[in-house]
Amino acid sequence: MTLQETPSANRLHIAIYGRRNAGKSSLINALTRQQAALVSEIAGTTTDPVKKAMEVRGLGACVLIDTAGFDDEGELGTLRIKKTRETIARAEIAILVLTPEAKDLSAEIQWNQELKAAGIRRVAVINKADMGIDSAYAALAAKELGVCPIPVSAKTGEGMEKLLEALVRQIPENYGERTIAGNLVKPGDVVMLVMPQDSEAPKGRLILPQVQTIREMLDRRCISINVTPDTMEAALASLKKAPDLIITDSQVFGEVYQKLPKESRLTSFSVLFAAYKGDIQAFAKGAEAIDTLNADSKILIAEACTHAPLSEDIGKVKIPAMLRRKFGETLQIDMVSGADFPKNLEPYSLIIHCGGCMFNRKYLLSRVEQAKNAGVPITNYGILIAKLKGILDKVEIPQDTTSF
């Protein structure tokens, strides 16, 4: 990904659902006007969900998720349907593809109900309109699904403009207008970003939260000063007045707090992303559970990234070491990454999640909701570290991340 590209996690996620051979992949190609998805007349060509980051005229930057048919069969088919169902946590808009060959709508009705229950905005289409549309079938589909299906043809392009218009209407109001720093900055503020350059930030690159935050400071007309922990004091000494806000990498929270000018406010990239991508109030409340932990507690650490463990990795190395120093070596810690997340959360005393920069907001919120339903507190890397350092009450937490 170049700095000119919109990160996938910040794109509108549109998933396409339907039976095998309903023309889901062909529909993606017609919608994007390019061969974005593999197409075959053989039913079941799409196996695991395939994500395509695209720029679609009228929709802008989005991720199209092509899924396996929800009528797949056999042992492998069951696994494919499971993978298709997992995409519901990420999808913000769904295209439900109907096909006239399937007169029985029971599967479509079931999936439509699941999508609706998940709060996903839905557009239904009847594909293969070039073969003719059965008006009785269309009327039945509208009645049973509660959405009027749009006749389309991936082969001829018929109905594509109407589909695009319908998708645009389903984009949530103010979508993409959330900000990272929320109400913590205003134009003209001096903001210092403290960014350790260790093995997690390979030479010549910055990690994604840092890049996005720097860009936002520019967009919001702030004066951004970028330093490492060892150059922070020299940078402060060179300023006529203390920064209005200091944003630090959470792993050096304690060190930066010791150098914090009394006039400056303090937060971290992870805390900002907890508000930007997730439920900051749930994460802050979840931190209270730290006071109830003991050597026999069981903790889940969830990381959005799937990189190999590093010697300085905050989630896989540093946070477990902090917790075991405080609660003892017998503390049980499970680690998951990427899309892996246990269905059963009840064995855990606490869930600690990363900032989620690689996830879209809906996906991270689905995990927060899963934790709430299981009655398990959930917090965030940055909030946890601030709590362990005894400075959580000194850390600024954004209260509003809508557009400014």
Side-chain angles (χ1 to χ4, degrees):
M1 185 191 74
T2 68
L3 296 184
Q4 289 77 32
E5 295 175 334
T6 302
S8 289
N10 289 1
R11 293 170 178 258
L12 183 70
H13 282 54
I14 303 172
I16 294 86
Y17 301 98
R19 297 173 185 262
R20 289 172 295 168
N21 224 16
K24 299 184 296 297
S25 300
S26 297
L27 188 65
I28 288 178
N29 292 341
L31 197 59
T32 60
R33 298 184 179 181
Q34 56 182 283
Q35 294 299 308
L38 179 64
V39 173
S40 169
E41 293 183 2
I42 301 173
T45 299
T46 302
T47 53
D48 287 348
V50 178
K51 293 184 290 183
K52 299 285 186 180
M54 308 291 294
E55 293 282 339
V56 180
R57 180 177 54 83
L59 292 173
C62 59
V63 172
L64 298 176
I65 306 174
D66 192 10
T67 64
F70 52 51
D71 63 335
D72 215 333
E73 299 172 337
E75 186 176 344
L76 278 177
T78 299
L79 294 175
R80 290 168 182 166
I81 293 171
K82 180 176 179 288
K83 288 292 186 181
T84 293
R85 186 166 273 112
E86 289 174 358
T87 65
I88 292 175
R90 297 177 185 268
E92 292 158 302
I93 298 176
I95 302 175
L96 189 59
V97 184
L98 313 178
T99 177
E101 293 99 324
K103 300 298 183 183
D104 176 17
L105 285 168
S106 58
E108 285 79 3
I109 292 169
Q110 176 193 332
W111 278 80
N112 183 61
Q113 290 171 342
E114 287 191 44
L115 296 168
K116 184 178 180 180
I120 298 174
R121 299 171 181 232
R122 302 165 323 285
V123 174
V125 300
I126 300 178
N127 198 13
K128 306 179 183 179
D130 54 290
M131 298 170 59
I133 296 292
D134 183 336
S135 58
Y137 174 82
L140 178 63
K143 177 184 176 182
E144 296 291 347
L145 301 176
V147 289
C148 188
I150 302 168
V152 301
S153 171
K155 182 177 181 180
T156 67
E158 177 186 344
M160 287 301 131
E161 289 299 325
K162 288 185 178 179
L163 173 56
L164 275 173
E165 291 169 4
L167 290 172
V168 170
R169 287 196 298 270
Q170 294 301 326
I171 298 175
E173 187 178 357
N174 300 323
Y175 185 86
E177 294 183 7
R178 297 181 65 82
T179 61
I180 296 169
N183 61 340
L184 297 186
V185 300
K186 61 184 185 300
D189 278 356
V190 176
V191 181
M192 178 174 285
L193 283 68
V194 184
M195 301 175 287
Q197 299 304 295
D198 54 22
S199 62
E200 290 193 73
K203 187 175 182 180
R205 288 184 285 163
L206 295 174
I207 60 176
L208 186 58
Q210 296 169 353
V211 173
Q212 290 182 272
T213 304
I214 290 170
R215 175 56 196 256
E216 180 169 304
M217 293 305 103
L218 295 172
D219 289 341
R220 296 180 66 175
R221 302 296 185 265
C222 295
I223 301 168
S224 174
I225 301 171
N226 307 318
V227 302
T228 55
D230 59 316
T231 60
M232 177 181 170
E233 287 182 288
L236 288 171
S238 71
L239 299 175
K240 290 184 178 180
K241 76 178 189 71
D244 297 285
L245 178 69
I246 295 179
I247 304 172
T248 182
D249 191 296
S250 298
Q251 62 183 309
V252 291
F253 243 146
E255 178 183 344
V256 171
Y257 178 72
Q258 295 300 318
K259 303 173 184 177
L260 185 72
K262 64 180 185 300
E263 304 92 345
S264 300
R265 294 166 293 131
L266 176 66
T267 193
S268 80
F269 294 101
S270 185
V271 170
L272 293 181
F273 271 76
Y276 181 51
K277 290 296 184 73
D279 183 340
I280 189 66
Q281 299 306 321
F283 290 141
K285 183 173 179 56
E288 297 172 5
I290 296 168
D291 296 327
T292 68
L293 299 179
N294 56 55
D296 297 320
S297 297
K298 188 172 184 178
I299 291 171
L300 175 67
I301 298 178
E303 175 109 7
C305 301
T306 56
H307 58 258
L310 303 168
S311 61
E312 299 174 289
D313 194 285
I314 186 169
K316 297 180 176 71
V317 179
K318 293 186 176 181
I319 286 179
M322 289 180 194
L323 291 170
R324 290 197 167 105
R325 278 197 299 269
K326 183 173 179 63
F327 300 108
E329 289 298 319
T330 60
L331 184 72
Q332 299 179 66
I333 300 175
D334 289 345
M335 183 85 202
V336 295
S337 59
D340 292 336
F341 199 67
K343 293 295 182 185
N344 182 17
L345 298 175
E346 292 181 3
Y348 297 103
S349 303
L350 177 66
I351 300 166
I352 306 167
H353 209 291
C354 71
C357 66
M358 301 304 292
F359 289 168
N360 68 336
R361 187 166 188 260
K362 184 175 181 297
Y363 194 26
L364 186 52
L365 286 175
S366 73
R367 292 190 169 184
V368 175
E369 188 64 22
Q370 186 180 339
K372 286 181 179 178
N373 291 338
V376 180
I378 183 169
T379 192
N380 156 273
Y381 282 13
I383 292 174
L384 170 91
I385 293 172
K387 175 75 173 178
L388 292 175
K389 297 291 183 182
I391 61 172
L392 183 55
D393 61 333
K394 308 295 193 302
V395 171
E396 295 288 335
I397 295 177
Q399 299 303 311
D400 188 359
T401 58
T402 53
S403 182
F404 281 77

